[in-house]
């Protein structure tokens, strides 16, 4: 939960712009830790949920704004026409890290153009059951294809 909260707080501290994403500096990490330390349990739970059609709840006393989310992970959905990106299973099966980087960059540019702070995806999972309706989205592996492992 701490990593999720830290990511949400980090997004609230970094302005949207054209700069390529970099790892947060020690100063930003310290600021995130400071904000997390000031949050009540109720605020931590509140910020994990959404409100008003894909926004996080703001926490004004700590300077945390409401952030705009988008359903994912195959594009920036919910805000008009968008590019369709490859399903996670197809992208992962390509083993092409350059292609994955280019797709991520393009999705980030689409998100910024729509004022979206973060996309709900990609997902990472092992395909434990074929009935899962989101298997095609995951950057994972089909468990039954792994040698020596029984299908659960």
């Amino acid at each position: 939960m701490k990593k999720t909260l830290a990511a949400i707080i980090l997004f609230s501290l970094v302005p949207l712009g054209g700069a390529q994403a970099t790892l947060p500096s020690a100063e930003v990490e310290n600021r995130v830790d400071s904000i997390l330390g000031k949050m009540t349990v109720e605020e931590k739970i509140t910020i994990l949920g959404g409100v008003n059609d894909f926004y996080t709840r703001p926490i004004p006393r700590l300077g945390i704004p409401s952030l705009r989310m988008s359903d994912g992970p195959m594009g920036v959905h919910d805000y008009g026409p968008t590019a369709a990106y490859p399903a996670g299973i197809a992208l992962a099966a390509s083993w092409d890290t350059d292609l994955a980087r280019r797709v991520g960059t393009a999705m980030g540019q689409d998100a910024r153009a729509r004022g979206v702070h973060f996309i709900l995806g990609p997902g990472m999972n092992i395909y434990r059951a074929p009935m899962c309706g989101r298997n095609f989205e995951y950057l994972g592996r089909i468990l039954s294809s792994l040698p020596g492992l029984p299908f659960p």
Side-chain angles (χ1 to χ4, degrees):
M1 182 163 128
K2 182 179 177 187
K3 286 184 180 183
T4 302
L5 290 171
I8 291 170
I9 292 168
L10 180 62
F11 280 119
S12 73
L13 299 176
V14 178
L16 290 175
Q20 187 162 358
T22 58
L23 292 175
S25 67
E27 178 184 339
V28 172
E29 292 281 350
N30 290 337
R31 191 168 168 200
V32 167
D33 287 341
S34 172
I35 292 171
L36 281 172
K38 294 174 186 173
M39 292 176 79
T40 66
V41 172
E42 291 80 14
E43 287 170 335
K44 290 175 181 177
I45 292 169
T46 295
I47 202 169
L48 293 175
V51 66
N52 298 332
D53 295 326
F54 277 83
Y55 283 84
T56 61
R57 287 182 168 86
I59 302 177
R61 79 174 189 89
L62 296 175
I64 299 174
S66 181
L67 301 174
R68 191 177 197 185
M69 302 177 276
S70 174
D71 196 10
M74 297 185 312
V76 184
H77 302 286
D78 311 312
Y79 306 106
T82 185
Y85 292 90
I89 192 171
L91 188 58
S94 76
W95 291 94
D96 188 336
T97 56
D98 183 56
L99 176 61
R101 187 173 293 107
R102 290 188 347 247
V103 167
T105 298
M107 286 179 68
Q109 291 169 343
D110 284 353
R112 286 186 177 136
R114 291 172 174 75
V116 170
H117 296 96
F118 61 96
I119 300 170
L120 301 174
M124 188 68 141
N125 203 352
I126 296 173
Y127 308 141
R128 293 179 185 92
M131 298 81 66
C132 177
R134 294 207 167 245
N135 278 339
F136 67 95
E137 294 180 346
Y138 298 142
L139 303 173
R141 182 158 174 125
I142 299 172
L143 187 59
S144 62
S145 70
L146 297 174
L149 292 177
F151 190 79

